[in-house]
């Protein structure tokens, strides 16, 4: 493993660690990064030198969740973990008050830079047919390559 790969893996591990923290919002981590001028690796790594308030946050990191994310990624070459600092991370998500620190994606990551529409609440919907019809109309109008 070369130095570049090692840095990338360390950065990915750090972002996953922060994202795995139970009951700590992404906004809180991003504020800590900015306020203390620390990298994600510094936050997730050597906690002995961190302020007490940050140490309390790092206690919420879940190693099993980090390991599960790496296991998921290793399941296919078509799986990607996109961190907040990645060039693939959508700028539109960074506009959210508390954007996700990582995105688990399957497929072409470049599509994340394309115009997007989110269907909020689509996991628990009452009228499945309406949503399917709406997505079908979007596919007709914009083409199947732009609908994820």
């Amino acid at each position: 493993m070369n130095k570049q790969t090692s840095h990338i893996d360390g950065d990915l591990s750090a972002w996953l660690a922060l994202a795995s923290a139970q009951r700590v919002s992404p906004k809180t981590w991003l504020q800590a990064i900015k306020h203390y001028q620390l990298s994600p690796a510094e936050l997730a790594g050597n906690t002995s030198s961190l302020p007490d308030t940050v140490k309390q946050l790092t206690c919420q990191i879940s190693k099993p969740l980090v390991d599960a994310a790496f296991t998921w990624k290793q399941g296919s070459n078509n799986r990607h973990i996109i961190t907040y600092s990645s060039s693939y991370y959508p700028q539109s998500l960074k506009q959210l008050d508390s954007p996700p620190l990582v995105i688990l994606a399957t497929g072409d990551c470049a599509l994340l830079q394309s115009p997007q529409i989110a269907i909020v609440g689509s996991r628990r919907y009452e009228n499945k047919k309406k949503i399917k019809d709406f997505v079908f109309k979007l596919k007709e109008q914009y083409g199947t390559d732009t609908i994820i």
Side-chain angles (χ1 to χ4, degrees):
M1 180 184 311
N2 65 34
K3 191 174 183 179
Q4 176 78 17
T5 304
S6 176
H7 170 72
I8 292 169
D9 288 348
D11 191 52
L12 176 58
S13 294
W15 281 111
L16 279 170
L18 299 182
S20 77
Q22 304 296 292
R23 296 177 298 281
V24 180
S25 72
K27 180 179 181 177
T28 300
W29 285 121
L30 293 172
Q31 287 172 336
I33 288 168
K34 184 176 180 178
H35 179 71
Y36 295 107
Q37 298 181 354
L38 297 169
S39 70
E42 291 169 321
L43 278 177
N46 182 8
T47 59
S48 62
S49 63
L50 297 175
D52 288 340
T53 54
V54 178
K55 283 181 191 177
Q56 291 173 353
L57 299 176
T58 61
C59 290
Q60 303 301 316
I61 290 173
S62 170
K63 177 126 175 50
L65 289 177
V66 173
D67 292 342
F70 276 115
T71 299
W72 172 82
K73 184 181 184 308
Q74 292 170 350
S76 170
N77 287 337
N78 203 28
R79 292 179 179 174
H80 313 280
I81 301 174
I82 301 162
T83 66
Y84 185 83
S85 63
S86 168
S87 61
Y88 287 111
Y89 193 95
Q91 289 301 312
S92 57
L93 281 182
K94 288 186 176 184
Q95 304 306 310
L96 296 174
D97 185 51
S98 190
L101 300 178
V102 296
I103 301 168
L104 303 180
T106 302
D108 183 0
C109 293
L111 289 174
L112 291 170
Q113 303 307 315
S114 302
Q116 301 165 16
I117 295 175
I119 302 175
V120 179
S122 61
R123 281 183 252 157
R124 294 187 183 177
Y125 48 86
E126 292 179 23
N127 194 332
K128 187 176 182 177
K129 183 172 175 8
K130 274 188 182 179
I131 292 175
K132 282 187 171 186
D133 289 346
F134 177 70
V135 171
F136 181 75
K137 287 178 184 176
L138 286 175
K139 285 184 176 186
E140 280 183 332
Q141 185 170 352
Y142 296 104
T144 57
D145 289 343
T146 60
I147 305 297
I148 300 173

